[in-house]
Amino acid sequence: MTAGLIQNSTRRLQSLTLLALAGAMAAASPAAAADLGGNCCADLEERIAELESTTARKGNRKVSLTISGWVNEAVFAWDDGVENNVYVGTNSLEQSRFRFVGDAKIDGDWSAGYTLEIGVFGADSKAFAQDNTGSKNSLVTRKASWFLKSKTFGKLTVGQDGTATYHLLDDADGAATRNYADAEAAAVALGAFKTRSGGVLGAKWTDFMGGFNNATPGQSGRRNVVRYDTPTFAGFTATAAWGEDDMWDTSLTYKGEVGDFALVGKLGYGESTDPGVNGGQCAVGNGDCQWWGAAGTIMHNPTGLYVYAGYAETHIDLTAAQVGADDEATTWFVQGGLEKKFFPIGKTTLFGEFRRDDVGLSKAATGSELDFWAAGVVQNVENAAMDLYVIYRNASGEATTGGVKANLDDLDMVIAGAKIQF
């Protein structure tokens, strides 16, 4: 009998508790109750589906997905001695982009993954000219590749990606100027601007220059390749790539520290026999060319003082009608600066640089001597993952065509902008 009383009391207590909870929910959230109506589960599923449709998610549970990129927009003020103007657009040295990177662990040593990188142009600064404010609102596939990676054996990449000498000189820049004033920055800043001689318009600046990637000797670009990177040993990594019917190149990279000094160095060589992908100076001959370059940075960590410098060459194979012409283009450059945290928001980089190009046969001349110098400041804002930059650039030189030498009028430019990462 006692057991029966206890059981009845327990049931009554449970019923009262459920009624009290129901009343409390109704009193505290009448609006929500009205919204849910008689089918709360269906409404909840609908809300979950809405959230899923607006959320980045991976395609399966085995391969990760990381979305990253940056926006790099700037104001370009220029003066060629006759005309001057101000344009606004995407800084094509390191254009705005978004990137999808996936990675899947196979076992303790091996992994596989992919890279999809899409470049975005608001207005392409490489198309800027006296009569052109740049192509608008365009996309370009920068990278589309998969990889297999081993901690023991290295990394194999297949697809559109950087060759072994892609950014060979640029990636040797160990300062914050890497994205704004690296080895090819002087050439990229010229965009499609035309030269003037005595105020008269002539060919584009880049038509007088060497190399086939951003008018800079010694460097290759992104191509459809098979690429192999060794594991890093004592700071050294070797890379080799082949593709694009028919090109190949190789490079050696070093990153490390010796005492108070941080060091970055790169050395590489490449050849190509594919006229279909060799633009620039290589297309002037029969389409075949060879290139090599070396560059490095040494930075004193306690003071932030650094020097970044390099040298590179490109040789083109001439046609029978061009035998005897100068088949070589060289560039050398030096940048010195100070990178230090003067302000709490982030490091400040102050720098000055000079680049000299000696070019043989090109699209516009049989010989050219071109000088580029620049100075500027890059201010990092740590909490915003942002760099603010202001850079002054000057281009000048002389060119020879048919035995006649002509001076090229100076082109001055100020670039002010920001790159914010996500």
Side-chain angles (χ1 to χ4, degrees):
M1 183 174 180
T2 303
L5 288 173
I6 292 174
Q7 188 175 19
N8 290 334
S9 298
T10 301
R11 288 174 179 171
R12 292 179 63 191
L13 181 59
Q14 289 174 341
S15 298
L16 289 172
T17 302
L18 289 172
L19 287 171
L21 286 173
M25 291 174 65
S29 182
D35 289 341
L36 291 173
N39 194 355
C40 63
C41 295
D43 186 75
L44 184 59
E45 289 176 356
E46 182 181 344
R47 289 170 186 256
I48 291 173
E50 182 181 353
L51 286 172
E52 287 181 340
S53 68
T54 58
T55 302
R57 54 211 161 111
K58 50 191 176 182
N60 57 58
R61 297 181 181 276
K62 296 179 180 179
V63 183
S64 68
L65 168 62
T66 301
I67 301 175
S68 63
W70 59 68
V71 175
N72 188 6
E73 302 291 318
V75 177
F76 299 76
W78 58 270
D79 187 336
D80 68 0
V82 175
E83 296 182 63
N84 61 79
N85 211 329
V86 179
Y87 297 159
V88 179
T90 304
N91 189 336
S92 297
L93 182 64
E94 290 294 341
Q95 71 180 110
S96 301
R97 66 194 64 178
F98 56 92
R99 179 188 299 125
F100 304 95
V101 177
D103 201 335
K105 187 175 181 180
I106 298 174
D107 57 29
D109 186 53
W110 287 89
S111 62
Y114 62 88
T115 300
L116 288 173
E117 184 174 288
I118 307 299
V120 181
F121 290 111
D124 182 2
S125 72
K126 280 179 65 178
F128 287 169
Q130 284 90 342
D131 58 354
N132 191 344
T133 59
S135 56
K136 304 293 193 299
N137 305 324
S138 59
L139 300 175
V140 60
T141 301
R142 293 177 53 85
K143 295 182 179 180
S145 62
W146 59 262
F147 65 82
L148 284 172
K149 185 177 182 180
S150 165
K151 298 174 185 176
T152 305
F153 300 104
K155 181 180 180 182
L156 177 70
T157 304
V158 178
Q160 181 167 306
D161 213 295
T163 64
T165 55
Y166 174 54
H167 285 161
L168 177 73
L169 307 176
D170 305 331
D171 285 344
D173 184 351
T177 55
R178 166 61 184 86
N179 294 306
Y180 319 106
D182 54 31
E184 65 183 19
V188 175
L190 291 169
F193 281 100
K194 296 178 180 179
T195 57
R196 287 187 184 273
S197 182
V200 179
L201 279 174
K204 294 188 297 183
W205 279 92
T206 53
D207 286 345
F208 291 92
M209 301 176 73
F212 65 92
N213 191 74
N214 287 332
T216 301
Q219 299 202 125
S220 184
R222 297 182 306 276
R223 299 287 187 268
N224 293 305
V225 296
V226 177
R227 168 174 165 157
Y228 171 68
D229 296 89
T230 68
T232 300
F233 178 74
F236 288 94
T237 305
T239 303
W242 170 88
E244 290 289 359
D245 189 32
D246 193 16
M247 67 78 56
W248 67 268
D249 60 355
T250 186
S251 65
L252 182 66
T253 302
Y254 174 77
K255 293 183 180 181
E257 293 192 359
V258 177
D260 289 336
F261 294 92
L263 306 175
V264 181
K266 291 184 74 72
L267 170 70
Y269 175 85
E271 295 184 0
S272 178
T273 59
D274 189 348
V277 299
N278 295 334
Q281 187 195 22
C282 290
V284 174
N286 64 15
D288 298 354
C289 55
Q290 309 83 43
W291 61 94
W292 75 273
T297 299
I298 179 170
M299 178 179 290
H300 186 235
N301 290 324
T303 63
L305 291 169
Y306 75 91
V307 175
Y308 161 51
Y311 176 85
E313 297 182 0
T314 294
H315 297 263
I316 60 175
D317 290 358
L318 303 174
T319 65
Q322 296 170 331
V323 173
D326 186 351
D327 64 353
E328 183 179 89
T330 68
T331 185
W332 66 267
F333 63 90
V334 60
Q335 179 185 111
L338 172 65
E339 187 166 283
K340 200 171 182 66
K341 194 169 185 178
F342 296 107
F343 310 106
I345 60 172
K347 287 184 178 180
T348 304
T349 305
L350 303 168
F351 71 94
E353 67 177 36
F354 178 80
R355 167 175 160 171
R356 174 65 181 266
D357 286 17
D358 291 299
V359 184
L361 189 63
S362 66
K363 289 183 178 180
T366 54
S368 306
E369 297 177 354
L370 307 171
D371 293 331
F372 312 98
W373 68 273
V377 57
V378 180
Q379 177 61 58
N380 176 250
V381 184
E382 292 178 357
N383 288 341
M386 172 185 281
D387 286 331
L388 306 170
Y389 55 90
V390 179
I391 301 169
Y392 167 74
R393 293 198 169 278
N394 172 272
S396 63
E398 58 184 33
T400 301
T401 303
V404 179
K405 183 177 291 188
N407 290 322
L408 304 178
D409 299 346
D410 287 17
L411 175 67
D412 297 293
M413 183 177 295
V414 175
I415 305 171
K419 179 171 80 76
I420 183 167
Q421 302 185 79
F422 58 87

